[in-house]
């Protein structure tokens, strides 16, 4: 599990210095986004989160921060807007944010019953990143609970490549973000496939992975924050706003 201790000023400075010196000596062909560089020079928060999640492994933190800077520029994180996302996926409730878990962390909901392998994975991942960034901006890099809603899902909805890609985004791009990974109402038919999913989850993810049903979801999300189809009291129906 990530450390709950704060890094020292010296540790933070060491990471900053290493990245900025590398940037000067080995500037990337595609320059990093100035907003991300400002996050490093003007604040300690991003580096603090990474140091904690990597248990103060300086080399790993520096490497992962550099890789993250490169990915954010190539993926176009700052270029993603409501207007240039796939409007069908954005508005059909396949990926959205609603309510909070019992720790007060937002629920980022993925409705697996709306998925199929024919969907464009890149478009879906952009929507995933859009919501993560939106939440991170509001919460000052606070945690999020990933809620995999398996209600009414079948074999035709299961896409291991898509699930692996989601895991990859959180594992390498936002490793400090997940509070819980809740897999809700996993159908019996998908049990075998889910065992495969668990094989490519990192140990840190397995520790926060919880499979829930209507009977026990209130251990992690109280009834008023649960949709009625999850076994709760909230009659909310998704509408993008």
């Amino acid at each position: 599990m990530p450390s709950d201790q704060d890094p020292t000023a010296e540790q933070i400075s060491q990471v900053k210095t290493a990245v900025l010196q590398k940037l000067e000596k080995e500037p990337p062909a595609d320059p990093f986004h100035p907003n991300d560089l400002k996050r490093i020079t003007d604040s300690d928060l991003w580096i603090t989160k990474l140091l904690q999640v990597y248990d103060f492994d300086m080399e790993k933190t520096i490497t992962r921060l550099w890789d993250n800077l490169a990915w954010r520029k190539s993926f176009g994180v700052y270029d993603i807007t409501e207007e240039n996302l796939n409007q069908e996926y954005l508005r059909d409730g396949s990926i959205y944010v609603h309510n909070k878990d019992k720790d007060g962390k937002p629920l980022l909901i993925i409705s697996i019953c709306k998925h199929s392998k024919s969907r464009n994975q890149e478009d879906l991942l952009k929507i995933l990143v859009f919501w993560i960034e939106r939440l991170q901006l509001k919460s000052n890099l606070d945690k999020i609970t990933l809620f995999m809603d398996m209600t009414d899902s079948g074999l035709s909805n299961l896409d291991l490549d898509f699930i692996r890609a989601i895991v990859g985004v959180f594992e390498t791009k936002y490793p400090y973000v997940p509070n819980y990974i809740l897999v809700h109402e996993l159908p019996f038919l998908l049990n075998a496939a889910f065992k495969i999913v668990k094989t490519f989850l990192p140990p840190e993810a397995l520790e926060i992975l919880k499979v829930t049903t209507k009977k026990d979801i209130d251990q992690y999300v109280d009834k008023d924050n649960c949709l009625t189809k999850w076994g709760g009291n909230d009659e909310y129906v998704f509408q993008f706003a």
Side-chain angles (χ1 to χ4, degrees):
M1 292 291 289
S3 172
D4 57 2
Q5 300 295 314
D6 289 330
T8 64
E10 183 179 351
Q11 288 172 317
I12 294 171
S13 177
Q14 186 177 334
V15 174
K16 283 190 182 188
T17 300
V19 170
L20 294 175
Q21 285 181 346
K22 184 175 181 180
L23 190 62
E24 187 175 341
K25 294 176 182 177
E26 307 171 34
D30 187 11
F32 298 150
H33 199 284
N35 287 1
D36 282 337
L37 296 178
K38 188 176 177 65
R39 291 172 76 193
I40 293 173
T41 57
D42 294 4
S43 172
D44 296 341
L45 185 59
W46 195 14
I47 292 173
T48 294
K49 296 280 188 182
L50 289 171
L51 280 167
Q52 288 172 329
V53 82
Y54 296 134
D55 288 324
F56 307 109
D57 183 327
M58 305 300 291
E59 185 175 344
K60 188 172 185 178
T61 300
I62 293 164
T63 299
R64 288 296 178 88
L65 178 55
W66 184 271
D67 291 346
N68 206 318
L69 287 163
W71 170 78
R72 291 174 65 83
K73 184 59 193 295
S74 66
F75 195 78
V77 168
Y78 288 102
D79 300 324
I80 297 173
T81 65
E82 293 178 22
E83 292 73 26
N84 63 25
L85 289 169
N86 182 311
Q87 294 299 302
E88 176 190 348
Y89 300 170
L90 181 64
R91 298 176 186 279
D92 69 1
S94 53
I95 303 173
Y96 66 103
V97 172
H98 182 64
N99 284 348
K100 296 181 178 181
D101 67 14
K102 292 187 86 166
D103 295 331
K105 309 307 181 188
L107 299 178
L108 176 54
I109 302 156
I110 300 181
S111 300
I112 298 298
C113 69
K114 295 181 180 293
H115 186 69
S116 70
K117 289 186 178 182
S118 63
R119 291 192 149 203
N120 186 292
Q121 186 177 120
E122 187 78 3
D123 285 353
L124 288 166
L125 291 179
K126 283 185 178 179
I127 291 173
L128 182 73
V129 170
F130 166 79
W131 283 115
I132 295 172
E133 288 288 319
R134 194 170 178 174
L135 289 172
Q136 291 277 277
L137 186 63
K138 288 180 179 179
S139 70
N140 216 17
L141 305 192
D142 201 1
K143 290 181 179 293
I144 297 167
T145 282
L146 180 63
F147 193 100
M148 305 284 286
D149 183 7
M150 308 293 289
T151 308
D152 299 326
S153 297
L155 289 171
S156 63
N157 305 120
L158 190 67
D159 182 351
L160 293 181
D161 289 338
F162 178 51
I163 294 176
R164 190 190 298 269
I166 293 170
V167 170
V169 166
F170 280 98
E171 181 186 4
T172 62
K173 318 308 178 192
Y174 302 94
Y176 46 84
V177 165
N179 190 45
Y180 286 111
I181 301 171
L182 301 180
V183 178
H184 187 62
E185 289 292 310
L186 178 68
F188 178 77
L189 282 173
L190 300 185
N191 275 339
F194 185 66
K195 288 179 181 177
I196 298 174
V197 170
K198 291 174 75 172
T199 64
F200 55 71
L201 290 174
E204 297 81 6
L206 288 172
E207 289 184 26
I208 59 174
L209 175 69
K210 309 295 176 184
V211 179
T212 60
T213 66
K214 289 180 180 179
K215 293 180 180 179
D216 58 16
I217 181 62
D218 59 352
Q219 292 182 35
Y220 304 100
V221 184
D222 65 48
K223 292 292 187 179
D224 288 340
N225 277 296
C226 275
L227 301 185
T228 52
K229 67 174 180 175
W230 301 343
N233 304 325
D234 186 0
E235 298 181 355
Y236 172 81
V237 175
F238 172 77
Q239 184 174 2
F240 179 78

